Amino acid sequence: MVKVLVVEDEETLLHNLADKLRSEGFTVYTASDGEVGLQKIRAEVPDLIVLDIMLPGLDGLSICRMVRHDASTAHIPIIMLTARGTEVDKIVGLESGADDYIVKPFGLGEFLARVRAVMRRAPGRTVMQQDEIVSNDLRLNLTSRRVFKGEDEVKLSNKEFDLLAELMRNKSAVLSRDLILTKVWGYDYFVDKRTVDVHIRWLREKIEDDASNPRRIITVRGVGYRFEG
Ligand code: CA
């Protein structure tokens, strides 16, 4: 079952695209504004997102960036729908993270061909993506979302897992609290910065040999945290 989410505020176009995709066997979700689109992306984690740029509420480019910055959705291929050449410049120029784009008006045949092409490339990208991050005796599997310390599984909450994945991906780099909040909690969350510290403390209790003398997650005073190994 391949899930496609179409976010488009032009009702007729949304209806036609959804119909076409359903007739090809896709499971289709729809949204006609940006906020609902983002909610459905997070709730359904679709296999493909078809995303209009000009939307009421959140625009498509912002959604695209949020999807790319969220560890749980970063892998999802995105096809952007655009009305004008200036928008095309934005998609390409800002490195929005879109996989492909189609300029309106377009035919349903062309649309389907693009969908198929992006879906064909997607599995390859997943394979190429590092499925597992290993550091000393710590092993984090991004697909199964399981973490092992030596032979023992470490049980983490969703946020603890995302936080650890972000730290391990950026080994040795200092991550500010702001950056961590953005990447792990998302742009639209107004979370107290101390939330990060609390989650770091919980993580340390689970993955450090001695949580009061951490060797893996190092505090960088006044800035944030660094994963050392
Ligand atoms: Ca539109």
Side-chain angles (χ1 to χ4, degrees):
M1 189 179 81
V2 180
K3 297 193 284 188
V4 182
L5 171 68
V6 185
V7 189
E8 167 61 71
D9 60 321
E10 291 163 48
E11 288 299 330
T12 309
L13 181 57
L14 179 63
H15 181 81
N16 289 344
L17 295 180
D19 258 11
K20 186 70 183 172
L21 289 167
R22 284 195 186 102
S23 74
E24 296 293 318
F26 293 102
T27 299
V28 182
Y29 301 87
T30 60
S32 47
D33 73 64
E35 309 278 349
V36 174
L38 193 61
Q39 279 168 20
K40 291 200 176 175
I41 289 166
R42 288 177 173 158
E44 301 296 340
V45 190
D47 301 290
L48 173 71
I49 303 167
V50 177
L51 186 57
D52 187 29
I53 288 197
M54 293 293 283
L55 290 166
L58 272 171
D59 69 279
L61 286 170
S62 304
I63 293 175
C64 194
R65 279 193 291 274
M66 290 178 195
V67 167
R68 287 291 174 258
H69 279 99
D70 184 336
S72 56
T73 58
H75 63 283
I76 305 173
I78 298 176
I79 298 176
M80 305 222 63
L81 307 180
T82 166
R84 300 185 302 270
T86 50
E87 287 182 353
V88 174
D89 293 345
K90 278 189 202 165
I91 300 174
V92 181
L94 287 178
E95 292 173 8
S96 60
D99 293 77
D100 199 0
Y101 64 90
I102 309 179
V103 180
K104 296 176 187 176
F106 53 84
L108 289 175
E110 183 193 356
F111 170 70
L112 210 57
R114 297 292 187 91
V115 168
R116 289 207 182 99
V118 167
M119 295 304 286
R120 264 199 307 275
R121 291 200 298 269
R125 195 169 68 170
T126 311
V127 172
M128 280 171 62
Q129 239 180 13
Q130 203 179 6
D131 180 51
E132 214 164 63
I133 309 176
V134 180
S135 184
N136 298 313
D137 66 340
L138 201 61
R139 194 157 51 87
L140 179 142
N141 189 297
L142 293 163
T143 307
S144 63
R145 292 180 66 84
R146 294 172 80 185
V147 175
F148 292 88
K149 190 180 172 206
E151 296 296 302
D152 303 323
E153 180 163 8
V154 183
K155 293 284 184 191
L156 299 181
S157 71
N158 269 332
K159 285 294 176 227
E160 286 166 356
F161 179 91
D162 292 340
L163 175 58
L164 181 60
E166 195 56 38
L167 285 163
M168 289 182 79
R169 270 198 201 98
N170 296 283
K171 190 173 173 177
S172 300
V174 181
L175 302 184
S176 69
R177 287 177 181 78
D178 277 332
L179 185 74
I180 292 172
L181 274 179
T182 303
K183 292 212 162 183
V184 176
W185 276 266
Y187 275 97
D188 58 338
Y189 267 82
F190 294 94
V191 183
D192 193 297
K193 281 191 193 184
R194 281 166 298 188
T195 304
V196 175
D197 303 328
V198 171
H199 279 77
I200 290 280
R201 196 166 74 233
W202 291 341
L203 253 188
R204 278 175 171 158
E205 277 161 16
K206 293 178 179 180
I207 65 163
E208 297 278 0
D209 292 333
D210 176 4
S212 59
N213 183 23
R215 300 293 168 113
R216 294 182 185 276
I217 303 174
I218 309 297
T219 303
V220 182
R221 286 190 61 148
V223 186
Y225 298 96
R226 184 178 79 222
F227 184 80
E228 265 311 315

